[in-house]
Amino acid sequence: MDAASSAGGLNFELPEEIRMLKDTVRRFVDRELIPIERNARDGHKLKPEVRAHLTAKARELGLVGYDVPREYGGLGMGLVAKVTVWAELSRTIALPSRAGDVFGPNVSPILYHLNEEQKQRYLLPTIRGELNWCLAQTEPDAGGDPGSMRTTAVRQGDHYVINGMKRFITGADDAHYAQLIAATDRSKGSHGGISAFIVDMKSPGVRLLRSQELVVDDRPWEIAFEDVKVPAENRIGEEGDGFGHAQHWLNVGRIRHGARSMGVIERCLELGAGYAKQRVTFGKPLAERQAVQWMLADSFMELHQLRLMVYDAAWKYDEGRDIRTEAYMAKIFGDTQSFHAADRCMEIHGGMGLATDLPIEKFWRDQRSMMITEGPIEILKMTLARHVLRTYG
Ligand SMILES: Cc1cc2nc3c(=O)[nH]c(=O)nc-3n(C[C@H](O)[C@H](O)[C@H](O)COP(=O)(O)OP(=O)(O)OC[C@H]3O[C@@H](n4cnc5c(N)ncnc54)[C@H](O)[C@@H]3O)c2cc1C
């Protein structure tokens, strides 16, 4: 084959096993989740009886443990497989936005970087579903800019003493331990001055102050840490490495935002196209109006762009490459375009778009919040622009 006609090894097809996985999860979502999507949750938590039923179904399909490496008894899926699962699960609002518990434990990627002794105490019980965790990074005066963090961890002999406030901490009320990020040397900021710790939530001096009502179902907590003694062996990695650990977790989290957005856009297309064909105004179906057609065409193109971005990032991650810029782009583009897709879908549905009978208003609220959590879009663009200026400037 001559070079001009050869694909040169480039291949955009999903491997057969990933296509089968996608079909399995899609059927599960269509049969088990979409029919109950408005009644499955109590606030941001799945109803216990719903969780038990869905977990049993997921076990039958061999999906439980998809997010856990093989050496710890899980399915050991790579990121390409996981983004496929995340995208499919996000076609419904049935599950809380982090859907780990139906498919096995929700394990923070940071935990796989613990030392052996810490893994025995925290990782393994978390995988067995005995311990819950929360990630405590954000503070009242340090959200998008963790370098200005005020919570301090001061070494005193064989332990650290932690003082400070954390805000917007999801799941703190159920957590047995927090992965807490604190300043060990404020003069160094995020480069070498921040460390990560495992803090037992029952430690003297840890106080849950209040949960925050939000436009989304999540009710994250404000937590005070007052002279909390944490054994030095509970530090994750080296002193000063904390920002790096959080970044690793956030990289995968950002790809997950992109994957989630794929599912949301696809469902909004299904809902929008279906309604546009059936709803007649001024004697014609909405589907025949160019204004409506263009909304659907734009969301469809954005979905295609996003798929390419997310699978490219996931594939590079599985190959062991640095995916920081790909992760930024997947989150920026995914969160923004999925919010637009939900907004267009709402517009096409008119008043019904606002109705809580349909999932659209929840997609709309959730995707708006995604543009802020785990790194606001503007801050990610600022970091991405630094990369552009270094590369092209
Ligand atoms: C539902 C929910 C759940 C959350 N769960 C957790 C959790 O479990 N653990 C945790 O640690 N945190 C959690 N957070 C916190 C979340 O990650 C932060 O809210 C987010 O990082 C933004 O921080 P901030 O709210 O302090 O905004 P700020 O950093 O104060 O920024 C405010 C706004 O200013 C703009 N902005 C800021 N800096 C710049 C800049 N340099 N250039 C241009 N524009 C800028 C952005 O538009 C940004 O949205 C959660 C938040 C929510 C809403």
Side-chain angles (χ1 to χ4, degrees), residues 135 137-138 143-144 168 170 214 218 372-374 376 378-379 382:
L135 177 74
Q137 174 171 309
T138 303
F168 288 136
T170 300
L214 297 169
D218 199 346
I372 293 173
T373 57
E374 292 176 49
E378 294 74 17
I379 296 182
M382 175 182 78

Side-chain angles (χ1 to χ4, degrees), residues 79-94:
L79 198 55
V80 167
K82 285 200 265 189
V83 297
T84 305
V85 175
W86 292 332
E88 290 303 322
L89 292 179
S90 307
R91 284 178 54 250
T92 175
I93 57 163

Side-chain angles (χ1 to χ4, degrees), residues 318-329:
D318 286 343
E319 292 279 301
R321 299 200 205 167
D322 181 353
I323 49 132
R324 267 172 297 177
T325 53
E326 285 83 355
Y328 287 131
M329 292 189 289

Side-chain angles (χ1 to χ4, degrees), residues 6 172 235 335-336:
S6 155
R235 193 185 65 224
D335 287 346
T336 309

